[in-house]
Amino acid sequence: MSGVPQPDAEPKRWDLAPESEYRFELDPEQSVSIKLVKGQAEIFGFELAEGKPYLFGFECKAALFTWRGCTIEVTGDPATDYVSDETPMRAYATLHLALEQMRVRALCAARGSPAPDARGGAAAGAGTDPPRVLVLGPEHAGKTTLCKLLANYTTRAGQGWAPFLVNVDPSEGGWAAPGAVSVAPVLGPIPTASPANPLGTAVTTAPVSLSANALVPLVYWYGHAETKRNPLLMDRLIRNLGENVMDRFEQDSQGRSSGVIVDTPSTFASGPSSNAHRQQLIKACIDAFRINMILVVGHDKLHVEMQRTYGSLLSVVKVPKSGGVVEVDYAYRERVHNYALHTYMYGQVIRPPAGITNGSFGGENLADLVLSPSSTVINFSDLNIYRIGSDTMAPSDALPVGAVRTVSEMQPVLVNPALPGSGLLNAVLALLAPSNPDENERYDEEILDLPVVGFLIVTAIDIPKRKMTILAPNRGSFIGRTAVAGSFEWQDQ
Ligand SMILES: Nc1ncnc2c1ncn2[C@@H]1O[C@H](COP(=O)(O)OP(=O)(O)OP(=O)(O)O)[C@@H](O)[C@H]1O
């Protein structure tokens, strides 16, 4: 993080009573360090080690919660910070315990052993399905935070669980760039340190130095922030993610029993997108991940709607919203997209507050998280760049009556970088895995089903020489590769 030097800050001590939380919000260019001096503390389920300074930056907004009470030392001066003793953590912990019992029963059934119930006998009559949870809620309900907390508590249970965390919110991007949808098995608690990677760090962003708790996600590229822009494509990508998860479960009984947690965008819950799209995408998630529990965070009407639609098929549970969730605006989301792409290319670069020399970022050594991307000049013909559908895509039902779309929403259209209006300058491109080596297995829309192996940025286009400059996280040849552009752009500043 660059910017004006911060004045030397004296650490400030906070004594937190049991079951209270210290909430803080950072401004741009601010960073803080929090050290647990005494007691027990966690950030959205990620436990802090005593005596170790943890750094936070990039306008992070978060809360440090304690079950048993603690003393913390905060260095730096957050824009806002306060303590609250009103949290929904008991409800969240109860929910976690219920999911944990489902996991134990599922694993026992998979191994053919009797499942213990709370009283030590065999669980009579209880189902043996592991939890496959869909989290729904309006904007700023704390959906992502709840998903992370539930995943973190699961990994902390000491049973070797690795729940599959799914992110189908393309405006957030999960472990990849914004515009992506993804899934990863979570093996250890996910830290919260920057909104650039709210679900932890992926190995794809650190190809040379593997960070200790890095995740290996499977990523598909949607390319836009808004789900309403191309709901058909969203539907297909959700089903692709689901198919992969279910295939994996067939060979991995521990993973299968750990279950699935699906984080969704707020447009699934409300907002301007038409009801049909909303319902279609919720249904796609329920089918793809064989959802057996819907959690509705802080939205009575949606809870009733889900109860009516799905109540007879699966459990629909209302979950309280935390008063600490911060309402962020459009400009903040735009800045977070920039932070996410910068972090993808350059790693976690954060300047600790004055007086802190040994800070760690989510438990990782800062020096290990710095990356250096490479800039390569390539011929136009080296890389095949597509867009899915037309670039001025309006939903089919928004077209004038009688109008027919000339390019279908799902059609890959080759983009010619030589055309001045190609829109490729500064575009974020998703580099896809190679297509099927067997020509007979190929099909027209195969591009939609290929996972992403990395992201590239077009930083310059030279039309007379038919060359363009590509920024990529590491060196490599792009000859014959396929990439897909969306509506995200990024400029290295
Ligand atoms: N108890 C809390 N105290 C302080 N900040 C919090 C708390 N819970 C969540 N936050 C912060 O509030 C912001 C919004 O939370 P979150 O991203 O979980 O909401 P969401 O419902 O997923 O949002 P979206 O509308 O983007 O889908 C995040 O920056 C998160 O870290």
PDB file of all heavy atoms in Angstrom, residues 218-220 383-384 386 430-439 441-443 445-454 477-484:
ATOM      1  N   LEU A 218     -11.355 -24.088  -8.018  1.00  0.00           N
ATOM      2  CA  LEU A 218     -11.745 -24.336  -9.400  1.00  0.00           C
ATOM      3  C   LEU A 218     -12.535 -23.093  -9.804  1.00  0.00           C
ATOM      4  O   LEU A 218     -13.480 -22.706  -9.107  1.00  0.00           O
ATOM      5  CB  LEU A 218     -12.634 -25.577  -9.477  1.00  0.00           C
ATOM      6  CG  LEU A 218     -13.282 -25.803 -10.833  1.00  0.00           C
ATOM      7  CD1 LEU A 218     -12.261 -26.312 -11.833  1.00  0.00           C
ATOM      8  CD2 LEU A 218     -14.430 -26.787 -10.718  1.00  0.00           C
ATOM      9  N   VAL A 219     -12.133 -22.484 -10.905  1.00  0.00           N
ATOM     10  CA  VAL A 219     -12.686 -21.171 -11.256  1.00  0.00           C
ATOM     11  C   VAL A 219     -13.306 -21.196 -12.653  1.00  0.00           C
ATOM     12  O   VAL A 219     -12.728 -21.775 -13.583  1.00  0.00           O
ATOM     13  CB  VAL A 219     -11.554 -20.102 -11.224  1.00  0.00           C
ATOM     14  CG1 VAL A 219     -12.082 -18.733 -11.604  1.00  0.00           C
ATOM     15  CG2 VAL A 219     -10.865 -20.070  -9.875  1.00  0.00           C
ATOM     16  N   TYR A 220     -14.458 -20.571 -12.792  1.00  0.00           N
ATOM     17  CA  TYR A 220     -15.041 -20.321 -14.118  1.00  0.00           C
ATOM     18  C   TYR A 220     -15.214 -18.813 -14.279  1.00  0.00           C
ATOM     19  O   TYR A 220     -15.398 -18.093 -13.292  1.00  0.00           O
ATOM     20  CB  TYR A 220     -16.398 -21.015 -14.273  1.00  0.00           C
ATOM     21  CG  TYR A 220     -16.286 -22.515 -14.409  1.00  0.00           C
ATOM     22  CD1 TYR A 220     -16.525 -23.340 -13.320  1.00  0.00           C
ATOM     23  CD2 TYR A 220     -15.928 -23.091 -15.618  1.00  0.00           C
ATOM     24  CE1 TYR A 220     -16.408 -24.721 -13.437  1.00  0.00           C
ATOM     25  CE2 TYR A 220     -15.814 -24.458 -15.747  1.00  0.00           C
ATOM     26  CZ  TYR A 220     -16.055 -25.269 -14.661  1.00  0.00           C
ATOM     27  OH  TYR A 220     -15.942 -26.621 -14.789  1.00  0.00           O
ATOM     28  N   LEU A 383      -2.909 -15.281 -29.382  1.00  0.00           N
ATOM     29  CA  LEU A 383      -3.937 -15.572 -28.379  1.00  0.00           C
ATOM     30  C   LEU A 383      -5.321 -15.420 -29.009  1.00  0.00           C
ATOM     31  O   LEU A 383      -5.592 -14.412 -29.663  1.00  0.00           O
ATOM     32  CB  LEU A 383      -3.770 -14.566 -27.227  1.00  0.00           C
ATOM     33  CG  LEU A 383      -4.606 -14.712 -25.974  1.00  0.00           C
ATOM     34  CD1 LEU A 383      -4.297 -16.017 -25.250  1.00  0.00           C
ATOM     35  CD2 LEU A 383      -4.338 -13.537 -25.024  1.00  0.00           C
ATOM     36  N   ASN A 384      -6.172 -16.409 -28.838  1.00  0.00           N
ATOM     37  CA  ASN A 384      -7.553 -16.311 -29.345  1.00  0.00           C
ATOM     38  C   ASN A 384      -8.420 -15.714 -28.239  1.00  0.00           C
ATOM     39  O   ASN A 384      -8.604 -16.348 -27.200  1.00  0.00           O
ATOM     40  CB  ASN A 384      -8.094 -17.687 -29.707  1.00  0.00           C
ATOM     41  CG  ASN A 384      -7.221 -18.360 -30.732  1.00  0.00           C
ATOM     42  OD1 ASN A 384      -6.886 -17.764 -31.753  1.00  0.00           O
ATOM     43  ND2 ASN A 384      -6.804 -19.584 -30.453  1.00  0.00           N
ATOM     44  N   TYR A 386     -12.019 -14.265 -26.919  1.00  0.00           N
ATOM     45  CA  TYR A 386     -13.467 -14.326 -27.177  1.00  0.00           C
ATOM     46  C   TYR A 386     -14.212 -13.444 -26.186  1.00  0.00           C
ATOM     47  O   TYR A 386     -13.702 -13.108 -25.117  1.00  0.00           O
ATOM     48  CB  TYR A 386     -13.977 -15.762 -26.986  1.00  0.00           C
ATOM     49  CG  TYR A 386     -13.550 -16.713 -28.061  1.00  0.00           C
ATOM     50  CD1 TYR A 386     -12.314 -17.370 -27.979  1.00  0.00           C
ATOM     51  CD2 TYR A 386     -14.362 -16.967 -29.155  1.00  0.00           C
ATOM     52  CE1 TYR A 386     -11.914 -18.253 -28.965  1.00  0.00           C
ATOM     53  CE2 TYR A 386     -13.969 -17.856 -30.149  1.00  0.00           C
ATOM     54  CZ  TYR A 386     -12.742 -18.493 -30.049  1.00  0.00           C
ATOM     55  OH  TYR A 386     -12.364 -19.370 -31.029  1.00  0.00           O
ATOM     56  N   ALA A 430      -9.664 -13.799 -18.907  1.00  0.00           N
ATOM     57  CA  ALA A 430      -9.492 -15.069 -18.193  1.00  0.00           C
ATOM     58  C   ALA A 430      -8.825 -16.036 -19.164  1.00  0.00           C
ATOM     59  O   ALA A 430      -9.343 -16.284 -20.254  1.00  0.00           O
ATOM     60  CB  ALA A 430     -10.841 -15.602 -17.756  1.00  0.00           C
ATOM     61  N   LEU A 431      -7.675 -16.563 -18.773  1.00  0.00           N
ATOM     62  CA  LEU A 431      -6.971 -17.535 -19.607  1.00  0.00           C
ATOM     63  C   LEU A 431      -7.546 -18.912 -19.285  1.00  0.00           C
ATOM     64  O   LEU A 431      -7.587 -19.322 -18.112  1.00  0.00           O
ATOM     65  CB  LEU A 431      -5.473 -17.494 -19.281  1.00  0.00           C
ATOM     66  CG  LEU A 431      -4.569 -18.337 -20.172  1.00  0.00           C
ATOM     67  CD1 LEU A 431      -4.540 -17.785 -21.594  1.00  0.00           C
ATOM     68  CD2 LEU A 431      -3.144 -18.373 -19.601  1.00  0.00           C
ATOM     69  N   LEU A 432      -8.023 -19.622 -20.307  1.00  0.00           N
ATOM     70  CA  LEU A 432      -8.728 -20.880 -20.066  1.00  0.00           C
ATOM     71  C   LEU A 432      -7.790 -22.084 -20.155  1.00  0.00           C
ATOM     72  O   LEU A 432      -6.744 -22.034 -20.818  1.00  0.00           O
ATOM     73  CB  LEU A 432      -9.857 -21.050 -21.080  1.00  0.00           C
ATOM     74  CG  LEU A 432     -10.919 -19.949 -21.101  1.00  0.00           C
ATOM     75  CD1 LEU A 432     -12.026 -20.326 -22.066  1.00  0.00           C
ATOM     76  CD2 LEU A 432     -11.503 -19.698 -19.712  1.00  0.00           C
ATOM     77  N   ALA A 433      -8.199 -23.153 -19.525  1.00  0.00           N
ATOM     78  CA  ALA A 433      -7.482 -24.421 -19.643  1.00  0.00           C
ATOM     79  C   ALA A 433      -7.575 -24.866 -21.101  1.00  0.00           C
ATOM     80  O   ALA A 433      -8.520 -24.502 -21.816  1.00  0.00           O
ATOM     81  CB  ALA A 433      -8.129 -25.450 -18.725  1.00  0.00           C
ATOM     82  N   PRO A 434      -6.594 -25.662 -21.577  1.00  0.00           N
ATOM     83  CA  PRO A 434      -6.646 -26.083 -22.978  1.00  0.00           C
ATOM     84  C   PRO A 434      -7.903 -26.888 -23.274  1.00  0.00           C
ATOM     85  O   PRO A 434      -8.435 -27.561 -22.375  1.00  0.00           O
ATOM     86  CB  PRO A 434      -5.406 -26.970 -23.137  1.00  0.00           C
ATOM     87  CG  PRO A 434      -4.554 -26.695 -21.950  1.00  0.00           C
ATOM     88  CD  PRO A 434      -5.438 -26.191 -20.865  1.00  0.00           C
ATOM     89  N   SER A 435      -8.366 -26.814 -24.515  1.00  0.00           N
ATOM     90  CA  SER A 435      -9.567 -27.593 -24.861  1.00  0.00           C
ATOM     91  C   SER A 435      -9.207 -29.074 -24.989  1.00  0.00           C
ATOM     92  O   SER A 435      -8.034 -29.442 -24.951  1.00  0.00           O
ATOM     93  CB  SER A 435     -10.229 -27.080 -26.125  1.00  0.00           C
ATOM     94  OG  SER A 435      -9.332 -26.419 -26.927  1.00  0.00           O
ATOM     95  N   ASN A 436     -10.236 -29.870 -25.144  1.00  0.00           N
ATOM     96  CA  ASN A 436     -10.049 -31.318 -25.188  1.00  0.00           C
ATOM     97  C   ASN A 436      -9.081 -31.708 -26.300  1.00  0.00           C
ATOM     98  O   ASN A 436      -9.268 -31.293 -27.449  1.00  0.00           O
ATOM     99  CB  ASN A 436     -11.422 -31.970 -25.437  1.00  0.00           C
ATOM    100  CG  ASN A 436     -11.417 -33.418 -25.049  1.00  0.00           C
ATOM    101  OD1 ASN A 436     -10.462 -34.136 -25.342  1.00  0.00           O
ATOM    102  ND2 ASN A 436     -12.466 -33.841 -24.378  1.00  0.00           N
ATOM    103  N   PRO A 437      -8.020 -32.487 -25.996  1.00  0.00           N
ATOM    104  CA  PRO A 437      -7.071 -32.837 -27.060  1.00  0.00           C
ATOM    105  C   PRO A 437      -7.710 -33.699 -28.142  1.00  0.00           C
ATOM    106  O   PRO A 437      -7.254 -33.702 -29.290  1.00  0.00           O
ATOM    107  CB  PRO A 437      -5.975 -33.622 -26.314  1.00  0.00           C
ATOM    108  CG  PRO A 437      -6.523 -33.953 -24.966  1.00  0.00           C
ATOM    109  CD  PRO A 437      -7.661 -33.031 -24.685  1.00  0.00           C
ATOM    110  N   ASP A 438      -8.779 -34.390 -27.808  1.00  0.00           N
ATOM    111  CA  ASP A 438      -9.462 -35.229 -28.795  1.00  0.00           C
ATOM    112  C   ASP A 438     -10.455 -34.375 -29.596  1.00  0.00           C
ATOM    113  O   ASP A 438     -11.475 -33.927 -29.064  1.00  0.00           O
ATOM    114  CB  ASP A 438     -10.200 -36.357 -28.050  1.00  0.00           C
ATOM    115  CG  ASP A 438     -10.889 -37.309 -29.014  1.00  0.00           C
ATOM    116  OD1 ASP A 438     -10.963 -36.979 -30.218  1.00  0.00           O
ATOM    117  OD2 ASP A 438     -11.365 -38.363 -28.553  1.00  0.00           O
ATOM    118  N   GLU A 439     -10.126 -34.128 -30.877  1.00  0.00           N
ATOM    119  CA  GLU A 439     -10.962 -33.265 -31.726  1.00  0.00           C
ATOM    120  C   GLU A 439     -12.417 -33.709 -31.756  1.00  0.00           C
ATOM    121  O   GLU A 439     -13.332 -32.901 -31.818  1.00  0.00           O
ATOM    122  CB  GLU A 439     -10.422 -33.268 -33.162  1.00  0.00           C
ATOM    123  CG  GLU A 439      -9.008 -32.752 -33.295  1.00  0.00           C
ATOM    124  CD  GLU A 439      -8.975 -31.377 -33.928  1.00  0.00           C
ATOM    125  OE1 GLU A 439      -9.994 -30.989 -34.513  1.00  0.00           O
ATOM    126  OE2 GLU A 439      -7.949 -30.690 -33.809  1.00  0.00           O
ATOM    127  N   GLU A 441     -14.176 -34.876 -29.444  1.00  0.00           N
ATOM    128  CA  GLU A 441     -14.895 -34.549 -28.208  1.00  0.00           C
ATOM    129  C   GLU A 441     -15.233 -33.058 -28.122  1.00  0.00           C
ATOM    130  O   GLU A 441     -15.892 -32.617 -27.199  1.00  0.00           O
ATOM    131  CB  GLU A 441     -14.034 -34.920 -26.988  1.00  0.00           C
ATOM    132  CG  GLU A 441     -13.765 -36.402 -26.806  1.00  0.00           C
ATOM    133  CD  GLU A 441     -14.984 -37.136 -26.291  1.00  0.00           C
ATOM    134  OE1 GLU A 441     -15.642 -36.596 -25.386  1.00  0.00           O
ATOM    135  OE2 GLU A 441     -15.301 -38.223 -26.806  1.00  0.00           O
ATOM    136  N   ARG A 442     -14.719 -32.277 -29.079  1.00  0.00           N
ATOM    137  CA  ARG A 442     -14.936 -30.822 -28.999  1.00  0.00           C
ATOM    138  C   ARG A 442     -16.347 -30.454 -29.438  1.00  0.00           C
ATOM    139  O   ARG A 442     -16.963 -31.171 -30.208  1.00  0.00           O
ATOM    140  CB  ARG A 442     -13.919 -30.105 -29.876  1.00  0.00           C
ATOM    141  CG  ARG A 442     -12.506 -30.365 -29.387  1.00  0.00           C
ATOM    142  CD  ARG A 442     -11.626 -29.193 -29.645  1.00  0.00           C
ATOM    143  NE  ARG A 442     -10.278 -29.524 -29.232  1.00  0.00           N
ATOM    144  CZ  ARG A 442      -9.190 -29.206 -29.908  1.00  0.00           C
ATOM    145  NH1 ARG A 442      -9.294 -28.524 -31.023  1.00  0.00           N
ATOM    146  NH2 ARG A 442      -8.016 -29.530 -29.457  1.00  0.00           N
ATOM    147  N   TYR A 443     -16.820 -29.309 -28.940  1.00  0.00           N
ATOM    148  CA  TYR A 443     -18.141 -28.826 -29.346  1.00  0.00           C
ATOM    149  C   TYR A 443     -18.118 -27.304 -29.334  1.00  0.00           C
ATOM    150  O   TYR A 443     -17.207 -26.687 -28.752  1.00  0.00           O
ATOM    151  CB  TYR A 443     -19.235 -29.388 -28.431  1.00  0.00           C
ATOM    152  CG  TYR A 443     -18.958 -29.195 -26.951  1.00  0.00           C
ATOM    153  CD1 TYR A 443     -19.512 -28.139 -26.243  1.00  0.00           C
ATOM    154  CD2 TYR A 443     -18.122 -30.079 -26.270  1.00  0.00           C
ATOM    155  CE1 TYR A 443     -19.251 -27.961 -24.901  1.00  0.00           C
ATOM    156  CE2 TYR A 443     -17.848 -29.896 -24.917  1.00  0.00           C
ATOM    157  CZ  TYR A 443     -18.415 -28.839 -24.250  1.00  0.00           C
ATOM    158  OH  TYR A 443     -18.137 -28.666 -22.917  1.00  0.00           O
ATOM    159  N   GLU A 445     -19.690 -24.815 -27.906  1.00  0.00           N
ATOM    160  CA  GLU A 445     -19.699 -23.964 -26.715  1.00  0.00           C
ATOM    161  C   GLU A 445     -18.720 -24.451 -25.655  1.00  0.00           C
ATOM    162  O   GLU A 445     -18.860 -24.126 -24.471  1.00  0.00           O
ATOM    163  CB  GLU A 445     -21.113 -23.898 -26.151  1.00  0.00           C
ATOM    164  CG  GLU A 445     -22.063 -23.146 -27.059  1.00  0.00           C
ATOM    165  CD  GLU A 445     -23.481 -23.103 -26.528  1.00  0.00           C
ATOM    166  OE1 GLU A 445     -23.774 -23.824 -25.560  1.00  0.00           O
ATOM    167  OE2 GLU A 445     -24.287 -22.360 -27.098  1.00  0.00           O
ATOM    168  N   GLU A 446     -17.715 -25.217 -26.078  1.00  0.00           N
ATOM    169  CA  GLU A 446     -16.777 -25.798 -25.106  1.00  0.00           C
ATOM    170  C   GLU A 446     -16.117 -24.726 -24.235  1.00  0.00           C
ATOM    171  O   GLU A 446     -15.838 -24.951 -23.048  1.00  0.00           O
ATOM    172  CB  GLU A 446     -15.691 -26.592 -25.855  1.00  0.00           C
ATOM    173  CG  GLU A 446     -14.808 -27.422 -24.935  1.00  0.00           C
ATOM    174  CD  GLU A 446     -13.669 -28.100 -25.685  1.00  0.00           C
ATOM    175  OE1 GLU A 446     -13.419 -27.737 -26.850  1.00  0.00           O
ATOM    176  OE2 GLU A 446     -13.036 -28.979 -25.097  1.00  0.00           O
ATOM    177  N   ILE A 447     -15.919 -23.541 -24.832  1.00  0.00           N
ATOM    178  CA  ILE A 447     -15.274 -22.441 -24.108  1.00  0.00           C
ATOM    179  C   ILE A 447     -16.007 -22.123 -22.801  1.00  0.00           C
ATOM    180  O   ILE A 447     -15.404 -21.753 -21.805  1.00  0.00           O
ATOM    181  CB  ILE A 447     -15.222 -21.196 -25.026  1.00  0.00           C
ATOM    182  CG1 ILE A 447     -14.117 -21.411 -26.047  1.00  0.00           C
ATOM    183  CG2 ILE A 447     -15.007 -19.919 -24.255  1.00  0.00           C
ATOM    184  CD1 ILE A 447     -14.038 -20.330 -27.070  1.00  0.00           C
ATOM    185  N   LEU A 448     -17.330 -22.289 -22.810  1.00  0.00           N
ATOM    186  CA  LEU A 448     -18.109 -21.964 -21.610  1.00  0.00           C
ATOM    187  C   LEU A 448     -17.812 -22.942 -20.480  1.00  0.00           C
ATOM    188  O   LEU A 448     -18.047 -22.636 -19.320  1.00  0.00           O
ATOM    189  CB  LEU A 448     -19.617 -22.026 -21.918  1.00  0.00           C
ATOM    190  CG  LEU A 448     -20.113 -21.219 -23.109  1.00  0.00           C
ATOM    191  CD1 LEU A 448     -21.599 -21.433 -23.283  1.00  0.00           C
ATOM    192  CD2 LEU A 448     -19.813 -19.753 -22.909  1.00  0.00           C
ATOM    193  N   ASP A 449     -17.332 -24.115 -20.830  1.00  0.00           N
ATOM    194  CA  ASP A 449     -17.156 -25.159 -19.817  1.00  0.00           C
ATOM    195  C   ASP A 449     -15.699 -25.369 -19.424  1.00  0.00           C
ATOM    196  O   ASP A 449     -15.392 -26.279 -18.655  1.00  0.00           O
ATOM    197  CB  ASP A 449     -17.745 -26.483 -20.344  1.00  0.00           C
ATOM    198  CG  ASP A 449     -19.207 -26.329 -20.717  1.00  0.00           C
ATOM    199  OD1 ASP A 449     -19.884 -25.512 -20.078  1.00  0.00           O
ATOM    200  OD2 ASP A 449     -19.669 -27.013 -21.649  1.00  0.00           O
ATOM    201  N   LEU A 450     -14.803 -24.538 -19.963  1.00  0.00           N
ATOM    202  CA  LEU A 450     -13.388 -24.699 -19.618  1.00  0.00           C
ATOM    203  C   LEU A 450     -13.059 -23.863 -18.381  1.00  0.00           C
ATOM    204  O   LEU A 450     -13.396 -22.674 -18.336  1.00  0.00           O
ATOM    205  CB  LEU A 450     -12.494 -24.247 -20.780  1.00  0.00           C
ATOM    206  CG  LEU A 450     -12.579 -25.077 -22.059  1.00  0.00           C
ATOM    207  CD1 LEU A 450     -11.736 -24.428 -23.157  1.00  0.00           C
ATOM    208  CD2 LEU A 450     -12.097 -26.500 -21.811  1.00  0.00           C
ATOM    209  N   PRO A 451     -12.394 -24.459 -17.399  1.00  0.00           N
ATOM    210  CA  PRO A 451     -12.045 -23.658 -16.224  1.00  0.00           C
ATOM    211  C   PRO A 451     -10.925 -22.670 -16.502  1.00  0.00           C
ATOM    212  O   PRO A 451     -10.211 -22.784 -17.499  1.00  0.00           O
ATOM    213  CB  PRO A 451     -11.603 -24.711 -15.198  1.00  0.00           C
ATOM    214  CG  PRO A 451     -11.252 -25.911 -15.973  1.00  0.00           C
ATOM    215  CD  PRO A 451     -12.023 -25.863 -17.265  1.00  0.00           C
ATOM    216  N   VAL A 452     -10.799 -21.705 -15.603  1.00  0.00           N
ATOM    217  CA  VAL A 452      -9.807 -20.642 -15.753  1.00  0.00           C
ATOM    218  C   VAL A 452      -8.496 -21.093 -15.114  1.00  0.00           C
ATOM    219  O   VAL A 452      -8.495 -21.666 -14.027  1.00  0.00           O
ATOM    220  CB  VAL A 452     -10.314 -19.377 -15.022  1.00  0.00           C
ATOM    221  CG1 VAL A 452      -9.272 -18.277 -15.025  1.00  0.00           C
ATOM    222  CG2 VAL A 452     -11.612 -18.893 -15.640  1.00  0.00           C
ATOM    223  N   VAL A 453      -7.372 -20.824 -15.795  1.00  0.00           N
ATOM    224  CA  VAL A 453      -6.080 -21.142 -15.179  1.00  0.00           C
ATOM    225  C   VAL A 453      -5.344 -19.879 -14.717  1.00  0.00           C
ATOM    226  O   VAL A 453      -4.360 -19.969 -13.990  1.00  0.00           O
ATOM    227  CB  VAL A 453      -5.178 -21.975 -16.117  1.00  0.00           C
ATOM    228  CG1 VAL A 453      -5.756 -23.339 -16.342  1.00  0.00           C
ATOM    229  CG2 VAL A 453      -4.945 -21.262 -17.438  1.00  0.00           C
ATOM    230  N   GLY A 454      -5.790 -18.717 -15.140  1.00  0.00           N
ATOM    231  CA  GLY A 454      -5.141 -17.490 -14.686  1.00  0.00           C
ATOM    232  C   GLY A 454      -5.800 -16.282 -15.332  1.00  0.00           C
ATOM    233  O   GLY A 454      -6.692 -16.435 -16.167  1.00  0.00           O
ATOM    234  N   SER A 477       4.087 -18.853 -22.331  1.00  0.00           N
ATOM    235  CA  SER A 477       3.728 -18.586 -23.713  1.00  0.00           C
ATOM    236  C   SER A 477       2.205 -18.636 -23.842  1.00  0.00           C
ATOM    237  O   SER A 477       1.547 -19.446 -23.196  1.00  0.00           O
ATOM    238  CB  SER A 477       4.358 -19.662 -24.594  1.00  0.00           C
ATOM    239  OG  SER A 477       3.704 -19.676 -25.825  1.00  0.00           O
ATOM    240  N   PHE A 478       1.681 -17.737 -24.666  1.00  0.00           N
ATOM    241  CA  PHE A 478       0.225 -17.724 -24.867  1.00  0.00           C
ATOM    242  C   PHE A 478      -0.144 -18.260 -26.244  1.00  0.00           C
ATOM    243  O   PHE A 478      -1.302 -18.216 -26.639  1.00  0.00           O
ATOM    244  CB  PHE A 478      -0.312 -16.303 -24.709  1.00  0.00           C
ATOM    245  CG  PHE A 478       0.039 -15.700 -23.377  1.00  0.00           C
ATOM    246  CD1 PHE A 478       0.909 -14.635 -23.292  1.00  0.00           C
ATOM    247  CD2 PHE A 478      -0.492 -16.225 -22.212  1.00  0.00           C
ATOM    248  CE1 PHE A 478       1.250 -14.098 -22.059  1.00  0.00           C
ATOM    249  CE2 PHE A 478      -0.165 -15.691 -20.983  1.00  0.00           C
ATOM    250  CZ  PHE A 478       0.710 -14.632 -20.901  1.00  0.00           C
ATOM    251  N   ILE A 479       0.846 -18.771 -26.986  1.00  0.00           N
ATOM    252  CA  ILE A 479       0.577 -19.151 -28.375  1.00  0.00           C
ATOM    253  C   ILE A 479      -0.451 -20.275 -28.430  1.00  0.00           C
ATOM    254  O   ILE A 479      -0.311 -21.308 -27.752  1.00  0.00           O
ATOM    255  CB  ILE A 479       1.883 -19.564 -29.096  1.00  0.00           C
ATOM    256  CG1 ILE A 479       2.806 -18.350 -29.133  1.00  0.00           C
ATOM    257  CG2 ILE A 479       1.610 -20.106 -30.491  1.00  0.00           C
ATOM    258  CD1 ILE A 479       4.157 -18.594 -29.729  1.00  0.00           C
ATOM    259  N   GLY A 480      -1.516 -20.014 -29.186  1.00  0.00           N
ATOM    260  CA  GLY A 480      -2.561 -21.017 -29.367  1.00  0.00           C
ATOM    261  C   GLY A 480      -3.533 -21.110 -28.194  1.00  0.00           C
ATOM    262  O   GLY A 480      -4.451 -21.921 -28.215  1.00  0.00           O
ATOM    263  N   ARG A 481      -3.333 -20.280 -27.155  1.00  0.00           N
ATOM    264  CA  ARG A 481      -4.224 -20.361 -25.990  1.00  0.00           C
ATOM    265  C   ARG A 481      -5.525 -19.580 -26.226  1.00  0.00           C
ATOM    266  O   ARG A 481      -5.620 -18.777 -27.152  1.00  0.00           O
ATOM    267  CB  ARG A 481      -3.525 -19.796 -24.737  1.00  0.00           C
ATOM    268  CG  ARG A 481      -2.231 -20.477 -24.375  1.00  0.00           C
ATOM    269  CD  ARG A 481      -2.454 -21.915 -23.944  1.00  0.00           C
ATOM    270  NE  ARG A 481      -3.276 -22.053 -22.757  1.00  0.00           N
ATOM    271  CZ  ARG A 481      -2.786 -22.125 -21.524  1.00  0.00           C
ATOM    272  NH1 ARG A 481      -1.484 -22.049 -21.317  1.00  0.00           N
ATOM    273  NH2 ARG A 481      -3.589 -22.275 -20.484  1.00  0.00           N
ATOM    274  N   THR A 482      -6.482 -19.833 -25.371  1.00  0.00           N
ATOM    275  CA  THR A 482      -7.775 -19.158 -25.490  1.00  0.00           C
ATOM    276  C   THR A 482      -8.030 -18.325 -24.239  1.00  0.00           C
ATOM    277  O   THR A 482      -7.805 -18.803 -23.119  1.00  0.00           O
ATOM    278  CB  THR A 482      -8.900 -20.198 -25.640  1.00  0.00           C
ATOM    279  OG1 THR A 482      -8.636 -20.952 -26.816  1.00  0.00           O
ATOM    280  CG2 THR A 482     -10.259 -19.552 -25.733  1.00  0.00           C
ATOM    281  N   ALA A 483      -8.488 -17.086 -24.434  1.00  0.00           N
ATOM    282  CA  ALA A 483      -8.838 -16.223 -23.302  1.00  0.00           C
ATOM    283  C   ALA A 483     -10.205 -15.602 -23.567  1.00  0.00           C
ATOM    284  O   ALA A 483     -10.636 -15.502 -24.721  1.00  0.00           O
ATOM    285  CB  ALA A 483      -7.789 -15.130 -23.131  1.00  0.00           C
ATOM    286  N   VAL A 484     -10.889 -15.235 -22.485  1.00  0.00           N
ATOM    287  CA  VAL A 484     -12.220 -14.646 -22.633  1.00  0.00           C
ATOM    288  C   VAL A 484     -12.247 -13.285 -21.933  1.00  0.00           C
ATOM    289  O   VAL A 484     -11.808 -13.171 -20.785  1.00  0.00           O
ATOM    290  CB  VAL A 484     -13.305 -15.575 -22.052  1.00  0.00           C
ATOM    291  CG1 VAL A 484     -14.685 -14.952 -22.215  1.00  0.00           C
ATOM    292  CG2 VAL A 484     -13.275 -16.935 -22.727  1.00  0.00           C
TER     293      VAL A 484
END
